[in-house]
Amino acid sequence: MGFFTYFSTLFLEKLSCRYLNKKPTYKQTKGKKFSILFDTHYKKLYNYAFKILNEITDSEELVQETFIKLWENFENVNESERSIESFLIVTLKNKIIDNYRKNQTREKHNNLYMLSTGIETEIDKEWELLQQIENVYTSLEQKTLDIFKLSRDEGLTYKEISTQKNISIKTVELHISKALKVFRKRLKEYL
Amino acid sequence: MEYFQITETELWAYISKTADSVTIQKVEKWINSPNFDKAFFTETKAIYKDTIEPNSSVEKAKKQFFDSVVVKEKPKPYTWKNIFKYAAIFAIIISGIYTYQQISSKNNQIVIQTTFGKQKQIELPDGSVVWLNASSKLSYNKESPRTLFLEGEAFFDVAKDKSHPFTVNTYDDLKVRALGTSFNVKSYINSPISETKLLTGKVEVTSDTQFKNTILLIPNEKIIFYRDKKEVVKSKMEGNENSIAWKEGKIQFKNKVFREIALDLKVQFNIKLNFENEQIANSKFTGSFDKTTPVSEILEILKISKDFNYELNRETNEWLIK
């Protein structure tokens, strides 16, 4: 019984240490979460920004800022996949609009100001298009998707694809045509 | 007039720049022919344009991100929100412990405590006499007055009782066991060492957690336990060390580094010495002062043998040694 003062001091020290140390471990898990968020969302967000801005540096910067904003507000965001994605996209959209306005003022000063259609609608439409493309990709058969990507992203000829996949050129063409048909159908209003 | 019909794969190859020369010629002919389907052409071109995936390095972006958030996060632990969070938790723990102590003191727990610059002489129920130095705490249970817990420094003159060993437990889990002896234990929480000095009789120093050996002391020997290295060093006491100076109202040090002297002064005067000069902090001094000597005078005397300056910050009551 006489140990209480003694042990309570010990206990307090240990506990405080443990609690204070808890911060880094918490940060680590937050860091891990963000590492995963980067893997799942970065490419899409970057593609989106790039399609609108047509500029590498600005696109990269705006997406970075978007993730930093999520980091700062992470405690207030519902951790469901859905709400995180919408936080990211809403933030990025706003950043793109801000960036556009900033550039617009700059252009105004350079006497290059032109009338523009509402950037907001354009931006939303671009996002919908991106979603649609993603939908097309997920709806395609894996083999068709692979072959289309080899053509689109890698720039391989039908012949090169046929060698790589060990199939006839005719089959390659069949898959490409299949993919294009789906795109034509799904993207009707955007093309 | 020739009739041209081209397939969508031919057009795709042309637009995606993967077509061979035969196909290119064919498509270009088609474009210039009356059969040219403009809508079909622009549609395919749009698909090509919309499916672009610019090169991006997720890893590079990730690194850049973590580099910037780490810098941004640094001041965060000091935000008020955080301080309150910790403070609240500590308040709960401390109030919990306080209540616990209140209860435990009813259960035969005896605690004797001294503040800065104060000493106490206590006679334990078994006849042993304890001198408790400044800023120290001694506790024991009424039912086992020969098992004590010490935080700080105390001198023990133990009453002989061979069937009941006399044990002093320190904060850093050392056990000093004695039969009939007189010895001094110094074990302050904020000090890097624990020290046991034996004047008469025999003591045994052990620990359940810090080291394996049992260390036996004979008169005029002392051991120092270095907390960071978990190392025990046994040595002979020097000259006047065997008169436990503090007991006689003296602050005494022999060949002691300034940094350690600062700890003694802290215990006695509740003052803090901060060192700006590492060399001075590690230089050794020998001296003997009366406890009533003001700190400024002690520093003034130490200044005679080594070259340093000091300065008192009156707001924080801290001395800066330069």
Side-chain angles (χ1 to χ4, degrees):
Chain A
M1 291 300 278
F3 310 21
F4 290 140
T5 338
Y6 173 71
F7 279 119
S8 58
T9 331
L10 259 185
F11 172 72
L12 187 65
E13 287 238 336
K14 268 192 186 150
L15 204 86
S16 61
C17 269
R18 195 188 279 177
Y19 193 77
L20 294 171
N21 282 340
K22 212 180 157 188
K23 190 83 189 169
T25 50
Y26 158 71
K27 233 194 230 167
Q28 209 173 42
T29 58
K30 188 178 174 185
K32 252 186 201 152
K33 280 178 192 163
F34 266 78
S35 183
I36 294 164
L37 287 175
F38 256 81
D39 292 336
T40 39
H41 299 292
Y42 183 81
K43 261 205 154 108
K44 191 175 174 186
L45 295 173
Y46 176 72
N47 285 354
Y48 176 58
F50 185 81
K51 267 178 193 163
I52 297 166
L53 302 169
N54 241 314
E55 215 274 325
I56 298 170
T57 327
D58 279 2
S59 308
E60 281 179 351
E61 218 161 86
L62 294 186
V63 179
Q64 279 288 340
E65 285 173 16
T66 302
F67 274 101
I68 287 170
K69 191 162 180 199
L70 177 63
W71 178 274
E72 285 165 348
N73 293 282
F74 198 57
E75 285 72 22
N76 309 320
V77 180
N78 187 333
E79 266 191 57
S80 74
E81 195 54 43
R82 220 191 154 82
S83 43
I84 283 179
E85 197 186 65
S86 58
F87 180 94
L88 286 171
I89 187 58
V90 168
T91 308
L92 182 57
K93 274 181 183 175
N94 288 331
K95 287 200 180 292
I96 289 172
I97 292 170
D98 285 349
N99 180 274
Y100 177 84
R101 293 212 174 111
K102 230 169 33 198
N103 289 340
Q104 213 178 34
T105 347
R106 203 180 296 149
E107 277 181 27
K108 220 186 206 163
H109 288 299
N110 293 339
N111 292 324
L112 287 165
Y113 179 61
M114 286 173 291
L115 273 177
S116 69
T117 53
I119 174 86
E120 285 89 349
T121 37
E122 195 191 306
I123 263 183
D124 286 337
K125 219 180 151 194
E126 199 68 47
W127 180 248
E128 280 170 36
L129 176 59
L130 202 74
Q131 300 277 64
Q132 281 300 325
I133 291 168
E134 210 169 68
N135 287 342
V136 171
Y137 283 153
T138 48
S139 73
L140 290 177
E141 236 176 275
Q142 191 57 45
K143 202 166 184 186
T144 310
L145 177 65
D146 287 348
I147 289 165
F148 179 78
K149 286 254 169 204
L150 284 175
S151 165
R152 176 62 188 87
D153 298 343
E154 310 294 324
L156 299 184
T157 63
Y158 298 153
K159 199 172 172 225
E160 285 165 337
I161 298 170
S162 83
T163 333
Q164 190 178 322
K165 288 273 164 188
N166 206 14
I167 48 175
S168 71
I169 294 180
K170 262 260 119 5
T171 317
V172 174
E173 288 180 348
L174 215 73
H175 282 293
I176 294 285
S177 143
K178 214 166 149 190
L180 289 172
K181 279 200 173 72
V182 181
F183 273 118
R184 245 182 262 285
K185 202 173 135 205
R186 292 281 197 97
L187 304 184
K188 218 173 225 162
E189 19 182 330
Y190 304 97
L191 300 176
Chain B
M1 200 167 76
E2 277 182 275
Y3 179 78
F4 278 110
Q5 190 64 47
I6 60 154
T7 61
E8 60 185 345
T9 44
E10 280 169 331
L11 182 56
W12 175 257
Y14 176 79
I15 287 168
S16 65
K17 298 181 182 76
T18 59
D20 53 31
S21 54
V22 179
T23 314
I24 292 172
Q25 272 181 7
K26 196 177 168 189
V27 174
E28 276 170 359
K29 232 173 192 175
W30 172 74
I31 291 170
N32 295 314
S33 78
N35 302 95
F36 176 57
D37 182 345
K38 201 180 174 210
F40 183 54
F41 182 81
T42 44
E43 228 177 62
T44 313
K45 207 163 179 179
I47 293 173
Y48 181 76
K49 196 182 131 260
D50 290 338
T51 50
I52 184 178
E53 283 197 1
N55 275 332
S56 59
S57 164
V58 180
E59 287 314 309
K60 197 183 113 201
K62 224 189 249 185
K63 196 187 168 294
Q64 198 188 339
F65 170 77
F66 282 116
D67 286 350
S68 64
V69 289
V70 164
V71 173
K72 282 192 175 212
E73 279 292 289
K74 262 183 187 161
K76 230 185 167 177
Y78 306 107
T79 61
W80 281 108
K81 200 177 153 193
N82 272 305
I83 290 170
F84 281 132
K85 201 158 72 189
Y86 293 128
I89 286 159
F90 272 89
I92 291 165
I93 292 166
I94 285 164
S95 64
I97 286 165
Y98 181 73
T99 339
Y100 202 34
Q101 278 184 348
Q102 291 283 88
I103 296 163
S104 62
S105 69
K106 276 180 208 148
N107 291 334
N108 297 330
Q109 168 82 351
I110 296 185
V111 181
I112 303 124
Q113 217 166 344
T114 53
T115 54
F116 298 104
K118 291 275 186 296
Q119 289 173 10
K120 252 181 201 165
Q121 188 183 340
I122 317 126
E123 198 178 323
L124 296 174
D126 68 334
S128 302
V129 182
V130 182
W131 284 263
L132 196 60
N133 200 357
S135 307
S136 302
K137 187 153 100 186
L138 184 76
S139 58
Y140 63 93
N141 191 295
K142 240 182 192 169
E143 276 144 33
S144 54
R146 280 169 82 88
T147 304
L148 306 148
F149 292 85
L150 173 71
E151 226 181 84
E153 182 168 21
F155 180 83
F156 301 89
D157 197 352
V158 181
K160 277 200 173 87
D161 182 351
K162 287 204 171 169
S163 55
H164 295 98
F166 187 93
T167 313
V168 180
N169 298 280
T170 65
Y171 158 79
D172 48 1
D173 206 20
L174 301 191
K175 282 186 166 66
V176 183
R177 266 164 64 105
L179 295 165
T181 40
S182 54
F183 62 99
N184 188 73
V185 177
K186 185 179 184 182
S187 178
Y188 283 104
I189 287 180
N190 50 12
S191 159
I193 60 160
S194 259
E195 185 191 66
T196 302
K197 285 178 179 174
L198 179 66
L199 277 93
T200 59
K202 212 190 257 177
V203 297
E204 189 180 277
V205 183
T206 58
S207 172
D208 291 336
T209 51
Q210 309 279 34
F211 49 87
K212 281 179 200 153
N213 331 28
T214 298
I215 298 137
L216 261 173
L217 288 186
I218 57 164
N220 291 322
E221 273 186 343
K222 63 170 177 182
I223 69 146
I224 296 174
F225 171 66
Y226 295 89
R227 288 174 186 165
D228 55 343
K229 293 177 281 180
K230 299 205 177 234
E231 201 177 89
V232 200
V233 176
K234 186 161 101 170
S235 62
K236 270 247 172 291
M237 283 197 273
E238 286 173 55
N240 56 3
E241 249 189 312
N242 50 8
S243 65
I244 306 292
W246 64 266
K247 237 177 87 213
E248 283 129 38
K250 274 181 186 153
I251 301 167
Q252 218 171 55
F253 37 86
K254 194 173 174 166
N255 247 339
K256 209 173 194 176
V257 293
F258 205 170
R259 202 188 292 286
E260 277 173 43
I261 296 169
L263 283 174
D264 291 345
L265 296 178
K266 181 172 191 246
V267 162
Q268 287 302 335
F269 302 108
N270 191 21
I271 52 128
K272 203 173 172 223
L273 295 168
N274 293 321
F275 294 94
E276 210 177 76
N277 182 337
E278 274 302 302
Q279 206 188 331
I280 282 296
N282 292 320
S283 50
K284 289 176 178 173
F285 291 92
T286 300
S288 180
F289 296 93
D290 208 80
K291 265 195 192 127
T292 50
T293 320
V295 181
S296 56
E297 207 170 296
I298 295 178
L299 291 173
E300 195 58 38
I301 291 163
L302 294 181
K303 222 180 107 175
I304 297 168
S305 64
K306 295 263 162 48
D307 187 31
F308 68 89
N309 277 309
Y310 57 90
E311 201 174 81
L312 172 66
N313 180 340
R314 292 196 184 277
E315 272 169 43
T316 56
N317 204 27
E318 286 178 3
W319 296 80
L320 186 66
I321 310 292
K322 295 189 274 197

